[in-house]
Amino acid sequence: MSPRIERALAPLLRAPATLPRPRVRYTSTQAPAYPLHVPINAFQRTLLAVGSAFTSLRDTGRHDMVAVLSETTAGPFLPALRNKMRATPSGRQILRERPRITEASVDLAKLGAMKEGTLGRAYVDWLRRNKVTPDTRDPVRYIDDPELAYIMQRYRESHDFYHVLLGFGVSLPAELVVKWFELANFNLPVALLSGVFGPLRMEPAERRRLLRTYGTWALKCGGSAQCLIGVYWENEWEKDVGVLRRELGVFEPPT
């Protein structure tokens, strides 16, 4: 090797045998922004999204994993829902007051005594018929912005009203139809994932029949209806469900 080449390579030859490893932060240093908030970084968010998607597809009973999936994939889409809420008086009121739909905040006995056909009565009848309560929804933990976290919580706690308006129970086929409606109405990734992979758990003939009967209707109805995230359900208890459907642009499913 010539002296000139040796001088050119000298800095490289004196370099350490191994290159310094890039620093990857595996933990978040952000302080919690609201009660139960768990700050996470991009690496943790990706890990949770992949893990929760895999687990929820393998075990459909893991509602906690579905909740994690919805939070870790909704980031870019929640601001769009917030804009829709800010565009309506009821949506702005919800964001100001941040009401909750829980057994502590809703007088189920009073709603159950309302006139048949009202939203309040239909809601309580649906809860009793399907043996669920308003408290079955997981709290939001992995969304950093407090207002966006509330919007996700509101979406979860309002989910049963979508069942009531559409007239579906809680079976797998019924839940899939509601998810198709939600996909068109909210554009959230968790609804897309549930709507695409959920039917794979059904028998082929049953899956084709469900898609043929309700698929197009659910997507068309969800896409043309008013965005339901901005509905202040607690102010509509005494309204007739049929009237409310017409006001929101929700039309009857095929029979």
Side-chain angles (χ1 to χ4, degrees):
M1 184 182 298
S2 69
R4 181 176 296 179
I5 296 177
E6 286 184 359
R7 288 195 298 271
L9 293 178
L12 297 178
L13 296 174
R14 290 196 300 268
T18 58
L19 294 174
R21 302 178 66 178
R23 293 185 178 182
V24 178
R25 186 178 296 278
Y26 294 99
T27 59
S28 174
T29 58
Q30 178 184 348
Y34 53 88
L36 301 181
H37 177 216
V38 179
I40 56 177
N41 58 31
F43 173 80
Q44 293 169 316
R45 190 173 303 279
T46 301
L47 193 63
L48 280 174
V50 174
S52 60
F54 180 76
T55 303
S56 58
L57 288 174
R58 289 190 61 189
D59 185 356
T60 58
R62 292 294 302 273
H63 299 294
D64 57 332
M65 290 294 98
V66 176
V68 172
L69 180 62
S70 68
E71 295 173 36
T72 53
T73 59
F77 301 89
L78 288 175
L81 286 182
R82 175 168 59 188
N83 290 339
K84 291 182 179 180
M85 295 182 74
R86 289 174 174 174
T88 65
S90 60
R92 291 192 294 271
Q93 184 181 3
I94 292 171
L95 290 176
R96 286 196 308 271
E97 300 176 0
R98 297 192 181 184
R100 297 290 306 275
I101 302 172
T102 65
E103 287 202 64
S105 64
V106 176
D107 189 342
L108 296 179
K110 180 180 179 180
L111 298 183
M114 285 186 172
K115 181 181 177 181
E116 188 170 354
T118 59
L119 175 65
R121 174 67 177 273
Y123 174 61
V124 171
D125 288 348
W126 186 92
L127 292 175
R128 292 170 177 169
R129 186 167 57 251
N130 292 284
K131 297 180 174 59
V132 296
T133 74
D135 292 339
T136 56
R137 306 300 169 190
D138 292 286
V140 173
R141 294 178 293 171
Y142 300 113
I143 296 175
D144 293 334
D145 185 285
E147 188 170 60
L148 297 182
Y150 171 75
I151 292 173
M152 175 58 74
Q153 191 69 45
R154 181 70 178 181
Y155 160 72
R156 287 181 186 168
E157 294 178 0
S158 300
H159 178 77
D160 294 339
F161 293 109
Y162 314 148
H163 281 265
V164 173
L165 282 183
L166 300 178
F168 288 91
V170 294
S171 65
L172 174 59
E175 196 66 54
L176 288 173
V177 174
V178 175
K179 285 300 179 186
W180 294 334
F181 175 91
E182 288 184 355
L183 171 61
N185 199 253
F186 303 121
N187 295 318
L188 289 176
V190 68
L192 173 63
L193 293 170
S194 299
V196 170
F197 292 103
L200 300 180
R201 304 196 299 267
M202 303 170 62
E203 294 295 328
E206 184 183 14
R207 180 169 62 244
R208 287 192 298 270
R209 184 167 58 252
L210 184 70
L211 287 167
R212 184 172 58 250
T213 305
Y214 295 110
T216 301
W217 168 81
L219 293 172
K220 183 177 180 180
C221 183
S224 62
Q226 176 181 322
C227 185
L228 301 189
I229 195 66
V231 178
Y232 207 136
W233 304 103
E234 299 90 325
N235 292 339
E236 307 290 351
W237 293 132
E238 297 181 358
K239 184 169 293 184
D240 182 84
V241 175
V243 173
L244 184 59
R245 285 196 188 104
R246 289 192 292 273
E247 289 181 355
L248 298 176
V250 175
F251 46 90
E252 296 282 346
T255 56

